[in-house]
């Protein structure tokens, strides 16, 4: 954002001060804006707003208005988000904002600034291991997900449904009992997956 380097740490949000040549905790109007918490993701939308996902919830920084919207605890529930750490933030081909937690995906509604939550289709919480561990946004109307103990899934952002992914040679099927750390879809349509068992790749099947 405006060529500012933002860094999320386990002690909150920091940005690089060029004049002092050092990283400093982010503040607005000389007040601490983001609580000291683990920052899990940082995203800039088309309106140049900065979205922050953390262990305590979701924050949105609007520099043009010098405001911060905080969605933690009760605010998360009231806005339609699950009371769960925010692990990922992404936008689709229509510039809609999607929020990824460990138990599902949420879509920001533009008309009322509330979220629609699409939970994973299995039991989550209370020690359940059916949780999202990795994700990647595909501009072809899908969100790719790594789900613990269940493998690779894709979420169709038009039908709002989850589907298990099967490749032609069965290599991805071998990851069903694995733990996916990261997912990347490159410009050639190759899906790259890092897991506890190593690095994997496959050409995805388009619908």
């Amino acid at each position: 954002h405006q060529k500012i380097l933002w860094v999320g740490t386990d002690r909150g949000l920091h940005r690089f001060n060029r004049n002092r040549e050092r990283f400093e905790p982010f503040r607005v109007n000389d007040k601490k804006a983001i609580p000291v918490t683990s920052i899990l993701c940082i995203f800039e939308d088309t309106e140049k707003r900065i979205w922050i996902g953390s262990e305590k919830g979701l924050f949105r920084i609007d520099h043009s208005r010098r405001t911060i919207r905080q969605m933690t605890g009760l605010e998360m529930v009231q806005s339609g988000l699950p009371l769960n750490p925010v692990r990922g933030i992404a936008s689709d081909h229509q510039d809609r904002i999607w929020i990824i937690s460990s138990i599902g995906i949420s879509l920001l509604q533009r008309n009322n600034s509330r979220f629609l939550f699409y939970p994973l289709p299995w039991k989550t919480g209370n020690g359940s291991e059916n949780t999202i561990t990795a994700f990647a946004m595909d501009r072809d109307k899908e969100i790719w997900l790594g789900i613990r103990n269940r493998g690779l899934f894709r979420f169709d952002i038009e039908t709002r449904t989850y589907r298990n992914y099967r490749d032609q040679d069965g290599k991805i099927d071998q990851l069903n009992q694995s733990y996916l750390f990261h997912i990347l879809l490159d410009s050639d349509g190759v899906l790259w997956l890092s897991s506890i068992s190593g690095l994997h790749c496959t050409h995805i099947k388009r619908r």
Side-chain angles (χ1 to χ4, degrees):
H1 179 77
Q2 299 177 347
K3 297 184 179 180
I4 296 174
L5 180 60
W6 298 83
V7 177
T9 73
D10 61 355
R11 296 183 59 81
L13 180 66
H14 294 69
R15 66 177 182 175
F16 188 69
N17 186 319
R18 295 182 179 178
N19 295 327
R20 298 182 179 181
E21 295 188 345
R22 68 182 186 186
F23 286 96
E24 298 177 343
F26 173 71
R27 301 171 186 270
V28 168
N29 298 326
D30 296 323
K31 295 181 180 180
K32 185 168 288 188
I34 308 295
V36 177
T37 181
S38 293
I39 303 300
L40 304 178
C41 55
I42 303 173
F43 176 80
E44 182 183 38
D45 65 19
T46 56
E47 297 179 37
K48 305 301 182 182
R49 298 175 300 185
I50 304 296
W51 296 77
I52 310 297
S54 77
E55 290 283 355
K56 292 187 177 180
L58 182 67
F59 303 85
R60 189 184 67 198
I61 302 169
D62 190 332
H63 279 281
S64 63
R65 300 180 180 179
R66 298 185 64 79
T67 60
I68 294 179
R69 182 183 179 189
Q70 174 176 309
M71 286 164 275
T72 59
L74 181 60
E75 291 90 350
M76 292 185 75
V77 177
Q78 291 175 337
S79 67
L81 287 169
L83 195 59
N84 196 260
V86 175
R87 302 191 177 279
I89 306 168
S91 63
D92 62 21
H93 61 294
Q94 296 182 25
D95 294 324
R96 295 176 297 187
I97 301 295
W98 295 85
I99 306 298
I100 293 86
S101 69
S102 62
I103 60 174
I105 298 175
S106 301
L107 169 64
L108 175 63
Q109 301 177 91
R110 292 171 175 167
N111 61 336
N112 59 15
S113 296
R114 288 180 52 81
F115 291 88
L116 291 175
F117 177 53
Y118 301 94
L120 292 178
W122 319 284
K123 179 182 178 182
T124 58
N126 297 323
S128 172
E129 295 186 345
N130 298 323
T131 55
I132 296 173
T133 61
F135 85 98
M137 173 64 76
D138 182 352
R139 302 301 283 188
D140 192 35
K141 302 180 181 179
E142 293 177 321
I143 301 176
W144 292 89
L145 301 167
I147 299 178
R148 188 174 183 179
N149 292 330
R150 289 184 178 269
L152 182 65
F153 277 71
R154 51 186 175 188
F155 178 80
D156 189 310
I157 63 177
E158 299 302 329
T159 64
R160 315 290 166 85
T161 56
Y162 294 89
R163 292 192 302 158
N164 192 211
Y165 179 74
R166 295 285 186 270
D167 64 343
Q168 294 178 346
D169 54 17
K171 290 182 179 179
I172 299 302
D173 292 349
Q174 300 171 12
L175 297 177
N176 284 349
Q177 300 302 317
S178 187
Y179 189 108
L180 297 179
F181 295 113
H182 297 285
I183 303 174
L184 171 69
L185 180 65
D186 69 20
S187 58
D188 294 324
V190 177
L191 198 65
W192 296 86
L193 309 165
S194 68
S195 76
I196 197 170
S197 59
L199 181 66
H200 309 263
C201 68
T202 184
H203 283 272
I204 63 173
K205 295 182 295 184
R206 293 296 186 184
R207 292 170 296 172

